[in-house]
Amino acid sequence: MITDDFGSRRFQRALKLTGANLLDEPNQHGAFFSHAVIARGGQGTVFLGTGDDLAQSRVCVIKTFADSEQDALDRAGRSVRIQLRLLDKATDYPAALFPRDEQIRPGPWVPDILAWDLESAAPWVAQDFRGPNLRRALANGVGDRSGRSDRDQRTDADVRTWLLSQIVDAVEFAHMHDVIHRDLKPDNILVERVKASHLMVESVALCDFDLSKSRDHTTLTQTGAIMGTPGYSAPEQLWGNARDVTTAADVYAVAMVAVHLFTGLEPWDAMVGPDLMHLRLDPSAAGQLGSKREWVESALSFNPSDRPPLRALHRKLHGPEADR
Ligand SMILES: Nc1ncnc2c1ncn2[C@@H]1O[C@H](COP(=O)(O)OP(=O)(O)OP(=O)(O)O)[C@@H](O)[C@H]1O
Ligand SMILES: [Mg+2]
């Protein structure tokens, strides 16, 4: 069992990066121990943890479900299956799929699932730790020079552009495998600095697939509305029929994440308009988006069919139309 120093420096680093609160006593979940609270959600607590005596250096995240209704557990089970399926695809995912030579692929787009038990009295899922969420990473100072090598000449704006391109790739990867996330927001995007090509580079992963939809798994909520998160979720999720929620809903959420990434604003401060059907991006926020402006503005269209594909954003980030 881990005592004073929690085994590894990697754990200490994870503790600092996430700001997780240490517990007085660790809890045991199968062969894992939780040591600190990262987040308390609607249906349980998410902990920073480690493996047992045999795997203390493994830093992981343990999602638990308190007093959970069967519905929440079913969603969690589906989410595990979707994540495992994406992980399978990620391992044989050809890096050459995107026509960009400089593509660096430090890790798959979803955290590795280590183990789970959704049938015990205290259900849990253990995953690989993939860094603080985007909200926290931005607060930590994602573009800061600290921890970056002198050879890394990127500006703060370069780092943000790189993050957006990684988020777009991650979401495109899920879509390519028929998974619609449906709850993309800064809290459900993880950012970690990893070593790649002798440099430290930010690697992105998507988490929280609890609301996601896969073509292989039709859900009970198929005909009901899928709430998601007001502000980040597309309007059709809040009042539409689940059948109307397509990849265009994730496009809307990516645009809102881009607004947050480049302006620091939350949706309710960034959107203006007389009513929900006529909301648009505040011009002063739009003005901070540079080459991404036009894409983001149309991606925030009320009507899903007016939203451009994610692919079109690549040109704005990397092509001749990118900010220079
Ligand atoms: N694999 C992971 N690595 C690092 N941090 C993670 C990981 N999974 C989750 N987290 C952290 O825990 C937080 C909450 O996790 P998650 O979004 O899965 O649960 P939740 O939002 O409470 O779930 P729900 O929305 O289903 O109630 C995330 O915002 C993120 O900071
Ligand atoms: Mg979440």
Side-chain angles (χ1 to χ4, degrees):
M1 168 92 64
I2 292 146
T3 49
D4 298 342
D5 63 355
F6 293 97
S8 66
R9 282 178 59 191
R10 185 163 141 76
F11 186 88
Q12 292 294 343
R13 235 175 78 75
L15 203 55
K16 195 164 157 222
L17 286 171
T18 55
N21 293 313
L22 272 175
L23 301 168
D24 294 335
E25 286 285 324
N27 299 314
Q28 189 162 1
H29 320 261
F32 296 85
F33 288 103
S34 54
H35 301 285
V37 175
I38 297 183
R40 288 189 197 277
Q43 56 208 25
T45 305
V46 179
F47 296 99
L48 192 62
T50 59
D52 62 12
D53 289 350
L54 299 174
Q56 285 189 14
S57 63
R58 176 137 225 180
V59 181
C60 59
V61 163
I62 301 155
K63 187 163 174 170
T64 60
F65 302 83
D67 305 324
S68 283
E69 293 167 8
Q70 196 52 41
D71 219 29
L73 291 177
D74 289 346
R75 267 204 308 277
R78 242 181 352 252
S79 158
V80 165
R81 287 198 297 277
I82 287 179
Q83 236 168 296
L84 287 173
R85 201 160 64 79
L86 288 177
L87 280 162
D88 273 348
K89 302 286 181 194
T91 38
D92 53 30
Y93 189 51
L97 214 66
F98 292 108
R100 292 199 299 281
D101 307 340
E102 75 277 18
Q103 186 92 26
I104 301 170
R105 295 194 165 274
W109 304 121
V110 289
D112 214 342
I113 298 271
L114 302 176
W116 68 96
D117 183 352
L118 294 171
E119 260 137 48
S120 76
W124 55 272
V125 178
Q127 320 186 359
D128 208 14
F129 173 72
R130 290 292 301 273
N133 67 41
L134 177 63
R135 188 180 300 285
R136 176 83 195 181
L138 291 172
N140 289 346
V142 84
D144 277 2
R145 293 233 51 99
S146 59
R148 281 169 52 188
S149 109
D150 293 343
R151 286 176 47 216
D152 182 354
Q153 295 295 318
R154 296 174 306 162
T155 63
D156 182 84
D158 292 339
V159 174
R160 284 169 206 261
T161 300
W162 165 255
L163 286 175
L164 183 57
S165 78
Q166 294 294 285
I167 294 165
V168 169
D169 283 0
V171 178
E172 272 197 313
F173 170 71
H175 289 177
M176 216 180 305
H177 298 292
D178 300 315
V179 173
I180 310 174
H181 189 288
R182 302 200 290 197
D183 199 14
L184 293 169
K185 55 178 171 177
D187 317 76
N188 288 341
I189 294 168
L190 307 170
V191 178
E192 177 183 44
R193 265 195 199 144
V194 297
K195 206 164 200 155
S197 307
H198 310 291
L199 280 180
M200 296 302 281
V201 66
E202 297 74 22
S203 149
V204 159
L206 307 179
C207 74
D208 201 353
F209 283 79
D210 291 12
L211 285 186
S212 62
K213 180 168 97 165
S214 153
R215 204 172 55 187
D216 299 353
H217 305 107
T218 45
T219 67
L220 294 175
T221 42
Q222 200 61 234
T223 51
I226 300 290
M227 273 304 282
T229 305
Y232 284 97
S233 295
E236 67 272 19
Q237 271 184 252
L238 304 182
W239 58 49
N241 187 303
R243 277 199 206 92
D244 302 332
V245 177
T246 64
T247 52
D250 283 350
V251 168
Y252 184 98
V254 167
M256 220 32 128
V257 169
V259 170
H260 183 69
L261 192 52
F262 287 95
T263 70
L265 292 172
E266 292 298 338
W268 40 93
D269 294 321
M271 299 296 275
V272 291
D275 57 60
L276 282 177
M277 285 180 73
H278 298 93
L279 287 180
R280 61 190 180 85
L281 193 58
D282 186 291
S284 69
Q288 298 174 55
L289 296 176
S291 62
K292 281 86 59 188
R293 177 178 184 157
E294 196 189 339
W295 186 91
V296 168
E297 283 184 314
S298 28
L300 292 174
S301 298
F302 180 81
N303 190 343
S305 57
D306 293 338
R307 296 180 202 142
L310 287 170
R311 200 174 342 106
L313 180 55
H314 282 312
R315 281 198 302 280
K316 312 285 178 191
L317 296 177
H318 303 287
E321 299 164 53
D323 294 320
R324 293 285 168 211

